[in-house]
Amino acid sequence: MGTPTRIATITRTIMSTEAALLLMQWLSPAYPVGAFAYSHGLESAVGDGQVKNGADLSDWLTDLLTHGGARSDAQLLACAYRAETSEGLAEVDQIARAFCPSAERLRETDLQGAAFCQTTVAVWGDTLTGLTYPVALGAAARSHNLPLDLTLQMYLHAFLSNLIAAGQRLLSLGQLEAQQRLTALKPEMARAAEDALAGDLDALFGATFAADIASMRHETQYSRIFRS
């Protein structure tokens, strides 16, 4: 018969593994939110010559993690997770919508959030409806008692992975270099997750004007393969 300490350790390990597996499913490319269809303005930045190679892509993604959409999404996710009431959650969602700098960025988070809510409700019976993507994920993680820090880290990893994949389609970026660049971004991902854990809605900000303008320019881009 195991000791109480050993039993508690095994229980925590099982719970941690179950949480990771559920987040892996939610954030997998197979989960039907259509993330592959969006580039977060990257396609326009490549077309305009702002992002020409892997090094430029790393700089672009670092800016998103430190001052842009990746950072603000993480903060909104954390605030949604902490929302105690449906009114509080609705307020976070309204702020998430208002914070979008362009029509395409709003559509990106709105449609992915709606798809996430629809699938999660159908599979697990959650009560999510009509939420933006990071807000929906934060609310779902809370309802399933998933650790917020793990949820933030895995969300940011999925966010960056999707844009790295977009970069492979838009640039001369091979699979090996793509994975090397994703791995190199892990320290910034960890810092962004830590900032989101420590902050609240008052800590929400955005200062990536190039990325915001790129998302606006993409709305009228003649030839494109992504929806944002």
Side-chain angles (χ1 to χ4, degrees):
M1 184 174 180
T3 65
T5 300
R6 178 173 173 78
I7 292 172
T9 300
I10 293 173
T11 301
R12 285 195 299 270
T13 300
I14 292 172
M15 291 177 63
S16 177
T17 300
E18 290 178 348
L21 288 173
L22 181 53
L23 285 166
M24 286 172 63
Q25 182 173 355
W26 284 353
L27 295 167
S28 164
Y31 209 69
V33 300
F36 65 89
Y38 301 95
S39 80
H40 207 71
L42 178 62
E43 183 172 24
S44 179
V46 172
D48 289 342
Q50 293 178 280
V51 178
K52 308 183 194 67
N53 50 46
D56 290 344
L57 179 60
S58 290
D59 291 341
W60 187 268
L61 298 180
T62 299
D63 287 345
L64 292 181
L65 278 168
T66 54
H67 299 93
R71 186 190 187 282
S72 59
D73 270 11
Q75 193 68 71
L76 290 162
L77 189 161
C79 290
Y81 187 99
R82 298 189 185 110
E84 298 287 345
T85 64
S86 58
E87 291 79 11
L89 184 64
E91 179 185 6
V92 177
D93 190 66
Q94 289 169 4
I95 292 172
R97 294 175 187 278
F99 205 70
C100 293
S102 68
E104 282 194 351
R105 287 274 293 277
L106 175 58
R107 189 156 55 246
E108 176 181 309
T109 192
D110 182 46
L111 292 178
Q112 288 188 78
F116 179 87
C117 289
Q118 182 179 8
T119 303
T120 307
V121 167
V123 177
W124 286 277
D126 292 57
T127 57
L128 303 171
T129 180
L131 298 172
T132 51
Y133 189 34
V135 174
L137 184 64
R142 178 189 174 99
S143 70
H144 288 264
N145 297 313
L146 306 183
L148 177 55
D149 57 345
L150 179 63
T151 303
L152 286 166
Q153 292 182 59
M154 293 189 68
Y155 176 81
L156 289 169
H157 190 277
F159 184 107
L160 272 292
S161 294
N162 186 64
L163 292 187
I164 288 280
Q168 288 182 271
R169 296 168 68 181
L170 295 166
L171 301 164
S172 297
L173 186 68
Q175 292 178 336
L176 177 58
E177 183 183 359
Q179 293 307 308
Q180 290 170 333
R181 295 197 174 279
L182 180 61
T183 300
L185 287 166
K186 284 185 178 180
E188 292 295 347
M189 288 188 228
R191 277 190 284 271
E194 290 172 3
D195 289 343
L197 275 172
D200 55 19
L201 286 175
D202 290 337
L204 190 65
F205 75 91
T208 48
F209 302 110
D212 295 345
I213 292 170
S215 72
M216 298 174 196
R217 288 177 59 82
H218 191 267
E219 294 172 9
T220 57
Q221 187 168 324
Y222 173 70
S223 177
R224 55 187 183 171
I225 58 177
F226 292 97
R227 300 181 68 178
S228 69

